Amino acid sequence: MSKSHNITNLVVIALGIFVVYHSYSSLKLGILISPGAGFMPFLCGIALIVLGIVWRIQAIIFKSPARVKHAGEPSETVCEVETAPVPGSWVKLFLAFVATVVYASLFERIGFFLSALLFMLGWQMVVERQRWLKAIIIAILCAVALYTLFKFLLRVELPSNPLFS
Amino acid sequence: MKQIVISSFIIALVAALIVPGVALAQDKFPSKPITLIIPYAAGGSTDLLARAVEKIWPKYAPKPLVLINKTGGGGVVGTEFVVRSKPDGYTLFMGYGSGSDIVMPHLQKMPYDPYKDIVAICRLSVHSVVIVTGAKSEFNSVKDMVAWAKKEGKPITSSVSTAAGAVDIALRGLGKAAGINIVTVPSSGGADAVTMLAGGHVMIGGGHPSEVMPHIKAGRFKALGVVLPDRDPSLPNIPTLREQGINVSTWGSVKGIGGPAAIPKETLAYLEATLKKVCEDAEFKKIMADLDQPIMYQDSATFTKFLQQAYGDYGKLIKDLNITIQ
Amino acid sequence: MGIFDGIISGFSIALTPMNLVFAFLGAVIGTAVGVLPGLGPAATIALLLPITYSISSPVTAVIMMAGIFYGAMYGGSTTSILLNLPGEAASVVTCYDGHKMAQKGRAGPALGIAAIGSFIAGTVGVIGLTLFGPPIAEFALSFGPPEKFSLALLGLLMAVALSGDSVIKGLIIMVLGLLLGAVGIDPISGKTRFDFGVTELQSGFDFVTLAVGVFGLGEIFYNLEQQGSAEIVTTKVGQVFPKMADWVKSRMAILRGTLIGFFIGVIPGGGAVISSLVSYAVEKKVSKHPEEFGQGAIEGVAGPESANNAASSSSFIPLLTLGIPSNASIAMIYACLLIKGVKPGPFLIVEHPDVFWGVIASMYLGNIMLIILNLPLVGIWVQVLRVPYSILAPVVVLFTSIGSYSIANQAFDLYALIAFGVLGYVLRKLKFEAGPLPLAFILGPMIESSMRQSLLLSGGKFSIFVTRPISLTMVVMFALFVMVQMVFAIRRARRSPKIQKTV
């Protein structure tokens, strides 16, 4: 098993154990005529533990050979060569993630329009490395378009700048 | 150079957005639509009452009501949402006085205090609990049902709207008072409970008049009894449990409008007065009659006292009959 | 009034200018609502209900609301196919093959066949409603808690069919979905579960936030990471309309989907989701090329889309014949009728034949309007994919954020959306198929409630699930399905001993 799959597997089993414990102690299991709130989560927890173990066993029994696919072979025999997750550009992803979180935190504080504007601006400039002029134009156009669409055409309740009303 | 241009642009933008805002004056209440949360499913008796109010409200107020259903937890989810919202009078809920307010606190811990955290605006109606069964059932009255249960020694299954709600407690109270075993099967709401009975999956059902009357009139259900101290004005032909020899009665589910406790007094007075006008409106009376819901207006102070009494009565009922949550 | 007379009078009512206008309005609004993730038809109908009060005729009001409801079913597939964003539960299944088709430049045929399938299914559904309404309604009523349990369980099993190659991974995702569905207040006992003191978690997660986060945002995050610094090659836009070959492949899928959707859709609560799931699984099973499913098989779009439209037609049956609403949107229509003094129920057809037949006739017309509206729109929607990803991606994020926020007007839902996006990214990275997750999330509570209700009814005896005929049938189907799956799996493993299934 690759390292990340290994960790995932342990996380699954750990989660299963946690759920079983929580269901048993805090949410009651109840009796058969009337299963309590914890009944179903308990079963799920057990399922997670069992599945995690089976997964591990499966990985041990079936080793993964690298397989070369010949041209014209029928795709009916399915074999997924296990690869460790290919590292890509974490930077871009991380920046996008941060931009989204910042947007979420500003959303109610400075209102939709401004936070969307800043978000688009940030995304264009930092994630996509656009030139600043193009980025501003895109940001304004998008923010205005979305604002008009939702606020006026669809009358959705959006937070506005608290300094307004 | 670039920095200066960008910064000044941003400052100008921000200024352009702020300045007009400051110039806006404060408006009179209500200056925008009022959100009325319905903590129960669409189509149920509370929902129908809210929609009746929604229809007539614009006749007496400059801004309309906006209804949003927020179900879950037997009414707790929607109510809690209102409790935690801004107490400016723009977020209220329908159904104050329902099971989650007067019954549930006796049985389990609540995430808010239904009396300290909520202010009563006014009472609109009282929804009694009606016990019904399928038209083809062998029971014709609650007495028949009790006799059958005692003879057969089997439990009676009953559909109810939500767990620990007014209907649930009424049926469990009935069971205890009559000395038989009634198994209540909770569902996702009044309409759902009615469907369960219509399909014949339970022997009897408990519901509010709004929910069951259409089916009684259609000949699908028949009423066995009503769980009030006196007969329900909208159902004068249905005898109470007391009349049939079973000494239990409840207030049913009281339906009022509530809001977060800190609402300003003038706003409260305005809402109270407007809702009174709605209750006296002729068209509203017709709709409520069609819905089989009695109009029972009480203003804020009277309603608050009534709730305290109803809450106390439910507490006594639960203690006397030793009802607990599973 | 006989059926024939009824239909004639119905059309004479539906074809009045006022009713035509409102039908069209409803269809347009419904399509818009379906396209936009976050705004569901039930919420929209609730918002527009006050407008219907000023319309004097109840027929007109219902015509508009019904238009919104099934219009949303047409529109729901659009964002699923283009952006992997399901607008509502019934459109989740369309994402799997629909979006893959779009990625291969076949967005046009996917959208087109979805519209065509929806039209056929919707129309056949209305015909079925006209001819077989009352007996089907009685059938629906006979679905009590044990039957709902077995049906939902069957649906969940079908969801495993979406788990791609590794069944174990698919099952893990499914259990995760069940647990996520358990967060919140338990309806049967009233206790809050897994909230850990966080107030916003007490009402549980919202389906749209979860599905859109895991599928839509997850894909955006994944694409960003994969492409590195180079801009993603904007998806090529191939043909705009389905080819003849596509139509030939799909027509049986559409037929089967229609039948499945019609019957399962009548059952109150969850009809459309389960029917789309069952349709997908059935199509995969009967297909001569099952490996294509998940890679862009057009039957995987045609079947489920037809199923959910047939379901939306048949879900009117309990309302019009018995006065019982099957889902939230129909419950609003029910409330509107009551307020207007019309009592839906078995006597509706006698007391208000204009409402009954007028609405039915308008549904035929509505379907026609929708196909006329949607087919040309396909050409426009497809252009959306030509927007550079550097702009499209953040706009999608903003778009979905509004949808999520508008559910409860709290910022928490935005954070939840992002968290689900991260989850979706992680799942993709680790080669888990996210498919079963949203479906288990929806079906889990259904399964649990019905099971507990059934046990209350039976006094704790599990035999209730097999003593009742309908439930028994489904349990048998369930067992057969599992056995067939196992036989196939064993046979496949034996056939190619060297090439093993890996993890």
Side-chain angles (χ1 to χ4, degrees):
Chain A
M1 265 184 141
S2 75
K3 188 162 91 131
S4 39
H5 278 119
N6 200 9
I7 298 179
T8 315
N9 180 278
L10 291 173
V11 165
V12 167
I13 297 183
L15 182 64
I17 295 176
F18 168 72
V19 167
V20 166
Y21 173 71
H22 187 78
S23 313
Y24 188 73
S25 54
S26 333
L27 319 164
K28 297 301 165 194
L29 291 185
I31 48 174
L32 257 186
I33 185 178
S34 172
F39 185 64
M40 176 116 146
F42 182 78
L43 291 179
C44 289
I46 304 253
L48 277 181
I49 298 176
V50 167
L51 286 170
I53 294 176
V54 170
W55 182 11
R56 191 161 273 277
I57 295 176
Q58 214 183 44
I60 296 175
I61 295 181
F62 300 120
K63 298 280 167 61
S64 49
R67 182 172 176 268
V68 176
K69 195 161 181 190
H70 301 291
E73 265 195 39
S75 50
E76 152 231 322
T77 49
V78 183
C79 169
E80 203 184 296
V81 176
E82 195 214 279
T83 46
V86 178
S89 164
W90 302 106
V91 176
K92 225 180 177 188
L93 170 62
F94 181 70
L95 290 173
F97 175 73
V98 167
T100 318
V101 172
V102 167
Y103 163 69
S105 56
L106 289 176
F107 193 79
E108 274 182 332
R109 267 175 251 211
I110 62 173
F112 168 72
F113 185 73
L114 272 185
S115 48
L117 188 67
L118 291 173
F119 172 75
M120 274 306 277
L121 197 62
W123 187 288
Q124 295 306 310
M125 291 180 73
V126 175
V127 177
E128 301 287 345
R129 301 203 164 271
Q130 276 283 11
R131 299 160 51 135
W132 61 272
L133 183 63
K134 214 173 166 197
I136 292 182
I137 295 174
I138 293 175
I140 294 182
L141 283 177
C142 289
V144 168
L146 283 173
Y147 186 72
T148 321
L149 176 68
F150 282 105
K151 185 104 188 188
F152 297 115
L153 290 180
L154 296 171
R155 305 201 167 271
V156 177
E157 276 290 315
L158 289 174
S160 42
N161 201 311
L163 297 169
F164 278 16
S165 52
Chain B
M1 180 56 203
K2 215 198 261 187
Q3 310 284 57
I4 300 176
V5 173
I6 296 178
S7 335
S8 39
F9 179 78
I10 292 182
I11 292 175
L13 192 66
V14 172
L17 290 164
I18 293 179
V19 169
V22 172
L24 282 173
Q26 276 290 7
D27 283 322
K28 204 165 86 90
F29 182 88
S31 58
K32 56 176 186 168
I34 297 176
T35 306
L36 185 65
I37 303 279
I38 308 167
Y40 303 96
S45 59
T46 318
D47 181 75
L48 293 170
L49 173 60
R51 301 203 186 273
V53 173
E54 182 196 24
K55 185 167 202 277
I56 307 295
W57 173 272
K59 285 190 189 174
Y60 304 102
K63 294 285 174 182
L65 293 173
V66 172
L67 264 43
I68 301 181
N69 294 78
K70 247 189 185 308
T71 60
V76 173
V77 171
T79 313
E80 190 176 4
F81 179 79
V82 175
V83 165
R84 310 230 181 272
S85 67
K86 224 162 78 149
D88 54 6
Y90 285 105
T91 313
L92 309 168
F93 74 100
M94 169 65 78
Y96 186 34
S98 307
S100 59
D101 304 311
I102 56 182
V103 177
M104 231 191 256
H106 292 293
L107 296 169
Q108 61 190 43
K109 203 161 90 81
M110 304 286 289
Y112 52 82
D113 182 321
Y115 301 100
K116 293 215 193 74
D117 298 331
I118 303 178
V119 69
I121 298 186
C122 70
R123 186 179 81 173
L124 293 170
S125 183
V126 174
H127 295 170
S128 60
V129 176
V130 183
I131 311 214
V132 287
T133 186
K136 302 205 187 86
S137 162
E138 58 189 280
F139 307 145
N140 283 317
S141 68
V142 176
K143 274 213 293 207
D144 289 348
M145 182 188 87
V146 172
W148 181 91
K150 289 200 168 139
K151 191 173 83 137
E152 298 283 326
K154 288 204 205 122
I156 302 238
T157 51
S158 168
S159 65
V160 297
S161 50
T162 47
V167 178
D168 189 15
I169 294 298
L171 272 133
R172 288 207 247 170
L174 163 59
K176 293 258 179 169
I180 57 173
N181 183 14
I182 297 188
V183 174
T184 54
V185 183
S187 61
S188 55
D192 203 22
V194 164
T195 310
M196 222 195 281
L197 178 63
H201 303 289
V202 282
M203 295 174 198
I204 63 173
H208 297 304
S210 244
E211 294 153 3
V212 298
M213 279 311 284
H215 296 275
I216 295 179
K217 288 190 189 150
R220 214 180 178 93
F221 289 169
K222 50 186 178 185
L224 296 177
V226 72
V227 194
L228 279 183
D230 302 301
R231 292 199 178 189
D232 186 319
S234 52
L235 313 167
N237 295 328
I238 302 179
T240 67
L241 291 187
R242 283 235 175 90
E243 287 175 39
Q244 299 184 53
I246 298 170
N247 191 17
V248 81
S249 76
T250 68
W251 284 112
S253 205
V254 182
K255 300 295 175 188
I257 296 192
I263 290 183
K265 284 219 167 58
E266 315 83 58
T267 313
L268 179 66
Y270 174 85
L271 290 167
E272 220 183 350
T274 315
L275 286 163
K276 182 151 196 259
K277 289 191 208 145
V278 169
C279 286
E280 289 166 355
D281 180 284
E283 195 187 346
F284 186 71
K285 290 186 185 164
K286 179 177 180 306
I287 296 177
M288 291 292 273
D290 281 339
L291 292 176
D292 298 299
Q293 294 195 18
I295 303 179
M296 298 168 77
Y297 176 84
Q298 272 183 344
D299 66 24
S300 175
T302 325
F303 185 34
T304 311
K305 267 203 249 143
F306 174 81
L307 277 178
Q308 286 295 340
Q309 193 203 345
Y311 178 66
D313 286 346
Y314 265 109
K316 195 165 164 298
L317 176 75
I318 288 171
K319 201 156 80 79
D320 285 348
L321 299 177
N322 202 9
I323 297 175
T324 52
I325 203 132
Q326 283 147 318
Chain C
M1 195 189 287
I3 293 182
F4 195 62
D5 298 321
I7 297 182
I8 302 282
S9 83
F11 272 107
S12 67
I13 295 171
L15 286 168
T16 56
M18 169 100 133
N19 289 340
L20 279 173
V21 165
F22 274 96
F24 186 70
L25 202 61
V28 169
I29 297 176
T31 311
V33 162
V35 169
L36 293 167
L39 279 85
T44 314
I45 294 179
L47 275 175
L48 294 174
L49 217 52
I51 298 178
T52 65
Y53 296 147
S54 44
I55 305 169
S56 53
S57 156
V59 192
T60 315
V62 179
I63 284 178
M64 182 174 89
M65 290 189 287
I68 297 177
F69 177 59
Y70 51 78
M73 288 296 170
Y74 272 79
S77 49
T78 310
T79 43
S80 304
I81 292 172
L82 290 178
L83 301 167
N84 210 31
L85 294 175
E88 69 222 321
S91 313
V92 169
V93 179
T94 314
C95 285
Y96 306 134
D97 283 81
H99 188 62
K100 278 280 170 2
M101 283 180 73
Q103 286 177 322
K104 293 189 177 158
R106 301 243 295 149
L111 290 168
I113 209 81
I116 294 174
S118 300
F119 171 69
I120 295 177
T123 310
V124 170
V126 182
I127 293 177
L129 156 61
T130 320
L131 298 174
F132 306 118
I136 301 230
E138 293 293 336
F139 168 71
L141 271 190
S142 64
F143 261 74
E147 286 74 26
K148 288 199 189 147
F149 170 76
S150 312
L151 181 67
L153 199 62
L154 199 62
L156 198 64
L157 185 69
M158 305 286 173
V160 176
L162 301 163
S163 58
D165 299 317
S166 172
V167 178
I168 293 283
K169 279 179 167 179
L171 287 173
I172 291 180
I173 294 287
M174 193 166 75
V175 175
L176 187 62
L178 292 176
L179 281 172
L180 284 171
V183 173
I185 297 190
D186 165 38
I188 307 271
S189 69
K191 276 207 176 125
T192 49
R193 299 191 285 199
F194 298 116
D195 63 321
F196 306 120
V198 177
T199 321
E200 289 93 341
L201 281 180
Q202 280 172 5
S203 36
F205 293 114
D206 174 73
F207 171 78
V208 173
T209 306
L210 182 140
V212 160
V214 170
F215 283 18
L217 272 197
E219 164 150 334
I220 290 179
F221 284 149
Y222 185 72
N223 283 341
L224 280 176
E225 188 242 347
Q226 286 295 298
Q227 297 306 122
S229 49
E231 206 179 271
I232 291 180
V233 173
T234 308
T235 323
K236 33 180 197 9
V237 169
Q239 273 194 304
V240 173
F241 280 114
K243 301 194 290 263
M244 201 35 146
D246 293 326
W247 165 245
V248 166
K249 263 199 226 170
S250 321
R251 53 182 187 188
M252 288 313 286
I254 293 176
L255 182 66
R256 283 187 288 259
T258 307
L259 284 172
I260 292 172
F262 184 73
F263 286 105
I264 299 187
V266 183
I267 296 155
V273 181
I274 301 182
S275 53
S276 62
L277 265 172
V278 171
S279 167
Y280 187 83
V282 164
E283 288 315 309
K284 194 170 178 189
K285 280 278 151 253
V286 305
S287 164
K288 300 206 173 46
H289 308 275
E291 68 286 346
E292 276 175 28
F293 278 76
Q295 307 304 320
I298 199 161
E299 301 94 317
V301 175
E305 273 303 306
S306 309
N308 70 24
N309 270 70
S312 66
S313 294
S314 65
S315 57
F316 272 87
I317 295 180
L319 177 73
L320 294 175
T321 52
L322 297 172
I324 293 175
S326 334
N327 58 50
S329 311
I330 305 229
M332 299 283 174
I333 299 180
Y334 171 77
C336 172
L337 282 174
L338 276 180
I339 302 263
K340 285 191 164 314
V342 174
K343 293 215 168 68
F347 298 128
L348 181 71
I349 190 173
V350 173
E351 287 172 9
H352 296 271
D354 55 330
V355 173
F356 186 84
W357 292 112
V359 170
I360 292 181
S362 144
M363 283 168 80
Y364 285 108
L365 293 174
N367 271 294
I368 296 177
M369 284 185 205
L370 280 162
I371 188 91
I372 296 176
L373 195 65
N374 277 288
L375 272 182
L377 279 182
V378 168
I380 300 179
W381 291 132
V382 155
Q383 301 306 318
V384 165
L385 289 179
R386 299 181 86 197
V387 173
Y389 203 72
S390 59
I391 300 181
L392 188 63
V395 168
V396 166
V397 174
L398 288 176
F399 215 76
T400 56
S401 71
I402 296 174
S404 286
Y405 182 79
S406 64
I407 292 159
N409 278 32
Q410 51 191 26
F412 175 81
D413 286 313
L414 292 178
Y415 294 115
L417 181 68
I418 300 176
F420 283 125
V422 170
L423 177 67
Y425 161 74
V426 165
L427 291 179
R428 261 170 198 268
K429 198 79 178 137
L430 296 170
K431 302 237 196 298
F432 274 85
E433 268 300 326
L437 188 76
L439 297 162
F441 178 79
I442 288 242
L443 292 175
M446 249 184 246
I447 294 175
E448 186 186 8
S449 298
S450 336
M451 178 187 75
R452 286 159 77 181
Q453 284 171 334
S454 307
L455 288 175
L456 277 173
L457 286 176
S458 69
K461 297 198 242 276
F462 277 89
S463 56
I464 191 171
F465 297 114
V466 288
T467 46
R468 293 159 64 119
I470 303 179
S471 182
L472 175 66
T473 317
M474 286 190 286
V475 168
V476 167
M477 273 168 54
F478 181 93
L480 278 176
F481 197 81
V482 169
M483 282 197 293
V484 162
Q485 287 283 78
M486 294 207 294
V487 165
F488 271 137
I490 296 175
R491 245 200 245 160
R492 250 194 348 205
R494 251 196 244 146
R495 209 185 300 147
S496 40
K498 290 210 189 83
I499 297 134
Q500 315 280 9
K501 191 188 276 213
T502 62
V503 148

